[in-house]
Each structure stands twice: as C-alpha cells, then as structure tokens.
Amino acid sequence: MPEPLIGIGLPVYNGEPYLTRSLDSLMAQSETDFELVIGDNCSTDGTEEICRELARKDPRVKYVRRERNIGVLGNHNRLIKETRGEFFSFASSDDEYHPDRLAKLVAALRAEPGAVLAFSAAEEIDEDGDVLRVWRNSIRTDHPSPVVRMRAKLAGPEENLQLYGLIRRSAMERVRPQAPFKGSDRVTIVELALLGSFVAVDEPLLRHRQHTQRMSEVVDARAYRMREQGTERRFYLPNVEEGVFLLRGVNQAPLTRGERVRGYASLWPWVWRNTIPMARNVAHAGLDVLRRRH
C-alpha cells in the first residue's frame, strides 16, 4: 500500500464505553489520506470485536492486539513505530474529533514549515458528551526561540493536549520514548518544543472527555509506575527522574551554546517547584531501603 499522509496511533485498553464514538469521528474526517493503527493492550471487554469489525470494513484501519499488557506509555511508544506517514497523531479511545480536524491541522503545518506540531482548542466534555468548558492554549509555544518555548511549557505543566495534535514524524522520531513515570508527556512536549514551534488552531476541533476511568485519574505516582511496569522498583524517584529527563532533553537538543546555557538556567523554576517533592522521593526511597533490611 502507498504511504499515507498521516499515521494515527490509537492506544486502547477496555475502551468499549466510548470507543465506537471515537472511531466513528475519526473515520468521518474530511482528510481521508490517513492510516489508523489501533494498539490493543489485551482488552477484556468488547474492544477487540469493535476494532476487528472496523478493520474488516475499512482498509485504512489496522488492528494490533498486544501479546500482553505493555502499559499505556509502552503502547504509545510502539504505535509511533507501527504507523507511517509524513505526519503523526495520537488518538484517544474516549475522545471525539471534529470532521475537519486533520484537514485544518495539516493546513496549519503546511503554512508554517518551521513548526513541528499543530494543535487545536478543545471542548472538555463529560461522560454524556456535555461540554464542561473550552480549553484554549495559553502558553507561548509559537515563539521563535526554543528556550522561550521550553520555559513557557515548564511554566504551564498541566497543559498537555498539545501532544494530541498533529506532529511531523521527522520531529516525533527525534524525541525519546516516553518513560514510565507520571508526567513523561510533559517531557515529550518540552523536547518537541526544543525542536520547533507549535501552531495553534483556535477552533475546538477536539472533544476531550473527562471521566473517572482515565489513566490521568490515577493520582498516586507510585500506583502509576506499578500500572506501567508491573513490578516494584527498589528506588522510586519520579520527580527526580523527570528532572533528569528534562536535563537530558536540553543537553541533546540542537541548540547553540548560548541557547543551551539559557536552557539549563530555565530549568531553575522547575527545580524550585520540585525541591520538596524531590526531597520526599529521596526520603521515601531511604525508608524503603530500611524496611527491606528489617
């Protein structure tokens, strides 16, 4: 088959409640030159049947059932390699998409050759599809300076819908796989921001569903790690680990010497905000060691 313009990766585990609505909105896109690869983390509900039926009907859809549950982030990482196309996008099994979403995001990237990612405003909806609020970007990820873009993202750490925009594959393949700690999506966005600017389409082309079964609702970082890895770690330092990844991101980005120095300096506000959490990480790790010895 010829390579599609867009490769969409949809990770799913037991997504039956909202999956059909999500898939219907994807297949109704006005931009039809795409391939959808569904990575199923061994669902135990009706997810497999829904996906296999769609794959039988539409040759653009490929269904992949994992050999075992490899975790949310592991599933995301594999889908990047399993898809093809000049552009890449993650899709969610519980979100819905405006019919012109892909077309408008492609046009936005075409109009800005130096941009690596295009994303849109979003309606945040509840379980029934009722609109809770409209989210619009408020951080300066469109700035020409990579350091300013990184600083803007670090100042607004909870704004992560950019990762569900449309990304140039050449940029997506340059960032490191997401690591199994809570907040790794923030690191990925920072690394993309260091590679190029983001384009914001100020239309709610995404309907982002909020519900209690979302992985983001797992608040405890240790529980998140357990769900992602399936094993306990002797030393668990999530905030420290995020800081190390951010530092490595600046170190590996294609920056001038001056930009790199400013990049390191821009990490200081993050370090300041995370000083107490990192200290707690170390204290908890020490207590874990003492418990194991006794």
Side-chain angles (χ1 to χ4, degrees):
M1 293 180 62
E3 183 168 284
L5 177 66
I6 304 165
I8 304 174
L10 191 154
V12 62
Y13 173 72
N14 286 353
E16 184 178 5
Y18 308 109
L19 181 58
T20 298
R21 276 175 280 185
S22 178
L23 292 174
D24 285 348
S25 67
L26 285 171
M27 305 318 292
Q29 291 294 300
S30 59
E31 172 56 74
T32 60
D33 189 8
F34 67 85
E35 177 183 67
L36 171 63
V37 179
I38 303 170
D40 182 0
N41 250 339
C42 299
S43 294
T44 57
D45 62 358
T47 292
E48 182 173 4
E49 290 74 17
I50 294 170
C51 295
R52 288 195 184 278
E53 178 63 21
L54 180 61
R56 281 192 292 269
K57 292 179 178 178
D58 197 313
R60 295 175 298 172
V61 179
K62 179 181 178 182
Y63 172 73
V64 180
R65 185 173 176 87
R66 303 301 181 200
E67 69 280 4
R68 58 182 177 82
N69 190 319
I70 59 175
V72 174
L73 299 181
N75 204 4
H76 277 72
N77 292 333
R78 279 202 191 179
L79 283 166
I80 297 169
K81 297 179 180 180
E82 292 169 338
T83 53
R84 305 174 299 155
E86 178 184 354
F87 302 113
F88 172 80
S89 181
F90 284 120
S92 171
S93 63
D94 43 20
D95 291 344
E96 298 172 21
Y97 307 93
H98 188 281
D100 291 331
R101 174 179 179 267
L102 290 179
K104 291 187 175 183
L105 294 184
V106 167
L109 281 179
R110 293 284 195 224
E112 296 287 344
V116 299
L117 186 155
F119 64 100
S120 73
E123 291 178 333
E124 294 194 350
I125 59 176
D126 62 15
E127 291 92 338
D128 300 318
D130 295 327
V131 178
L132 301 172
R133 73 181 186 103
V134 175
W135 174 86
R136 284 185 164 85
N137 178 62
S138 63
I139 58 179
R140 301 178 65 194
T141 46
D142 60 344
H143 198 279
S145 167
V147 175
V148 172
R149 296 192 299 264
M150 181 189 78
R151 189 184 302 130
K153 174 56 195 168
L154 292 175
E158 301 310 317
E159 293 199 12
N160 295 334
L161 288 182
Q162 295 94 345
L163 195 58
Y164 280 81
L166 189 69
I167 307 168
R168 294 191 194 276
R169 185 172 298 276
S170 57
M172 196 72 219
E173 290 176 345
R174 292 179 66 180
V175 301
R176 290 166 300 169
Q178 291 190 64
F181 61 86
K182 195 170 185 181
S184 61
D185 51 353
R186 293 192 293 264
V187 176
T188 300
I189 296 171
V190 167
E191 291 190 1
L192 286 167
L194 287 169
L195 293 177
S197 61
F198 297 176
V199 184
V201 177
D202 194 26
E203 296 179 52
L205 305 176
L206 168 68
R207 285 168 57 81
H208 179 58
R209 195 180 305 275
Q210 302 286 354
H211 59 90
T212 57
Q213 298 305 310
R214 291 186 70 91
M215 187 64 170
S216 58
E217 296 296 323
V218 181
V219 177
D220 180 71
R222 185 179 293 272
Y224 189 94
R225 168 75 79 169
M226 284 292 293
R227 286 182 62 170
E228 286 300 285
Q229 287 199 320
T231 57
E232 183 64 79
R233 289 185 58 173
R234 183 177 181 185
F235 299 109
Y236 182 52
L237 309 168
N239 300 88
V240 174
E241 193 168 1
E242 182 175 349
V244 170
F245 268 71
L246 288 170
L247 190 65
R248 289 176 179 171
V250 175
N251 187 54
Q252 296 175 10
L255 305 174
T256 66
R257 180 177 299 180
E259 288 173 335
R260 203 175 310 281
V261 170
R262 292 194 296 276
Y264 291 138
S266 295
L267 291 177
W268 174 246
W270 182 95
V271 173
W272 178 255
R273 288 197 308 271
N274 285 271
T275 297
I276 293 177
M278 287 191 290
R280 288 173 178 160
N281 289 172
V282 175
H284 288 159
L287 289 173
D288 285 346
V289 171
L290 291 175
R291 291 192 192 102
R292 293 173 194 274
R293 287 182 176 178
H294 296 285

